[in-house]
Amino acid sequence: MNRTIIEKIWDTHCVADLGDGSYLIYIDRIFLHERTGSIALKGLEEAGRVVRNPEHVFCTMDHIVDTFPGRTDRTTMPGGTEFITTTREAALAAGINLFDLGDDRQGIVHVVSPEQGIALPGVTLVCPDSHTCTLGGLGALAWGIGSTDGEHALATKTLVVKKPRTMRVSFDGALPYGVTAKDLILHLIGRHTASGGVGFAIEFCGQTIRELPVEARLTLCNMAVEFGAWTGIVAPDDTTFEYVRGRPYAPAGDQWELAVRHWQSLRSDPEARFDREIRIDSRDIVPQVTWGTSPQHETGIDGRVPDPADEPDANKRQSVERALDYMALEPGTPLEGIPIDAAFIGSCTNSRLSDLRSAAQVLEGRHVAPGIKAICVPGSSRVKRAAEDEGLDRIFTRAGFEWRESGCSMCFFAGGESFGDRERVVTSTNRNFENRQGPRTRSHLASPTTVAASAVRGCLTDVRTLEN
Amino acid sequence: MEKFSQLTAIAAPIMRINIDTDAIIPSREMKRVSKIGLSDGLFAGWRYLKPGSREENPEFILNQEPYRQAQILLSGANFGCGSSREHAVWALSEWGIRCIIAPSFGAIFSGNCVRNGILPIELDNEIVEDLAAQIKTDPEGNKISIDLPRLSVTAPDGTSYPFSIPPADHEMLLQGLDSIAITQKRDPDILAFQQRDRQSRPWLY
Ligand code: SF4
């Protein structure tokens, strides 16, 4: 039987067939964070249940903690401290692995788990967080769940899952200058809508993907959920194995050889059938930026704000009108040149060392435009330290960026720090929903290089037009 | 969990596409480590005039009679997309919603619904639009009926539409069962699986 990589991992983890397309699937690793993990642990405890394999459960503090230097359990978000202390107490009581504040393993959950070798090729990994699909970049089958399913996974080490349909998205050709993994995924969502992937597990493949480093593959898979997909995955290869080797929780010694042999089998058979196929020529892609309040509201940086009048479908027309109203944009305005108030580099999409390096390359010897609030938040404590070791922090601060402690920070508005009313932000994050980065804040998603270039010019900018 | 069988109720159409969980309950409304006390924050960005305020926006449908009594929501495609926050479902449930009818749902969201006794029903867009149009002519009188055992939705004009949900979800909703207790009965299978798996993938143990 010819199988896709998704089916292979699925079959390896199948405990029972429950009929009608639902299966009891074994879960290798569970990750929690203080925002939703706290309630899953508390719910479990209140029901008198215990964590079945605490050694396979990890927890970090990322969502609610402040990212100001010198932070403590006190938070800008009212009531935030309770999330931190409840999580800490529950994690300690349950005996799970905790990466607490001050621990150098702390960071954004989806940045930490590959970095520590907890997410591995071929594992099933869940977290009560929708961007868990990020870890597909390593060849893991990883997806976000709700808190009740979180309790289910903690108590039984399994989940009842409906078998997804499969989709293959191939990106062919080399990436043009100035185009990144972020632009690939935004382009896909823009062409095929934010619900184009609903019900699917997606394998990303093709020459472009093979040539991407692991960190870029993580960026790509991060936004599979913005495409509506259940998850995304890239088949592991030598690039992946090199990335994983030597990480704290990765297999070592004899186990390493054994693991790699297994991982090498994790690729779709040549004749495997997918329920849907999409092919994209990467050479046609330019740096992307969103203009609206859904990730599908995007276009090339050389594009224009669309005119709702051109949209024949009434529902879609209204959605575009609403978006333009919220974003305060006029139809037909060129994206390039729209003035911004702030720039943000961070989040589980784009806050790894390679992201910071690419932004720093743009910022080296430059300064952000007057009046721009610019913030860089490394994805993990380890990324932060590595960046400081190579002097990136000084490039950022000299350019006028704030340099923060790691965490989700202003990727989303938790009730504390925000960009402010009607402020326009160019951001390396993954969601441009209404109020996502603060009440009435207007978010434009883009790659870290586009964010850096825009910060320098003070307006949405085509990074390809900045002089070297 | 409350059982679900039949329901005839007022329905509120919010016919937008891609209503995300941030819109259903904004982050700032999730103030405590708790599954209760969330209904106040339901659709807060649309329901209240200013962020953080409790001054009602009279334009928003759930602030209008008789929609305040709605137990069914109608919506456009991809309802509940975005963040995995189960708070969205807890808030809807506490507010009084028992069933949501839409052309499609965010995957995590629909799973969360079932686990909390809310029935997510997928119907074609034209049907949902038609239901919404019927309701608007007489929201009080034009109720929608749902028969979960028979898997059918009946429109105010008497037309019935079949729908499907996975049998396991059907069972769970009908009996108000707790998914963890059901799976725990399979613990011997899980143990046996782990023993086999330890042999074939020892690096994970
Ligand atoms: S960085 Fe943003 S998207 Fe990622 S896990 Fe944190 S809040 Fe969610």
Side-chain angles (χ1 to χ4, degrees), chain A residues 62-63 108-110 129 131 347-348 408 411-412 430 436:
Chain A
D62 56 0
H63 274 67
I108 303 174
V109 54
H110 317 304
D129 189 284
H131 290 101
S347 90
C348 57
C408 297
C411 167
F412 84 114
N430 47 38
R436 168 78 180 180

Side-chain angles (χ1 to χ4, degrees), chain B residues 25-154:
Chain B
I25 186 158
S27 293
R28 60 174 182 278
E29 298 291 344
M30 296 156 42
K31 295 185 195 98
R32 307 207 47 224
V33 185
S34 173
K35 301 180 184 182
I36 54 173
L38 294 160
S39 60
D40 239 22
L42 181 69
F43 292 119
W46 299 340
R47 203 163 131 209
Y48 305 116
L49 287 171
K50 282 196 216 84
S53 90
R54 286 293 181 259
E55 197 185 329
E56 285 190 356
N57 172 7
E59 306 267 298
F60 186 61
I61 187 162
L62 297 185
N63 289 333
Q64 299 163 1
E65 289 299 348
Y67 297 115
R68 282 179 190 278
Q69 271 81 51
Q71 288 180 279
I72 299 171
L73 269 191
L74 303 185
S75 183
N78 207 17
F79 186 84
C81 60
S83 148
S84 68
R85 62 184 67 162
E86 197 155 324
H87 304 70
V89 172
W90 297 326
L92 284 161
S93 167
E94 191 176 278
W95 193 86
I97 298 298
R98 303 271 354 252
C99 171
I100 305 163
I101 304 177
S104 61
F105 291 92
I108 303 173
F109 178 82
S110 67
N112 288 343
C113 280
V114 171
R115 277 154 194 69
N116 290 279
I118 293 185
L119 170 62
I121 297 180
E122 288 187 9
L123 291 179
D124 287 349
N125 194 36
E126 297 81 71
I127 302 176
V128 186
E129 291 281 359
D130 182 51
L131 292 174
Q134 291 186 42
I135 289 161
K136 279 182 192 150
T137 60
D138 178 9
E140 179 95 61
N142 284 351
K143 296 197 170 69
I144 288 183
S145 294
I146 292 156
D147 187 332
L148 183 59
R150 292 209 175 77
L151 295 169
S152 83
V153 175
T154 305

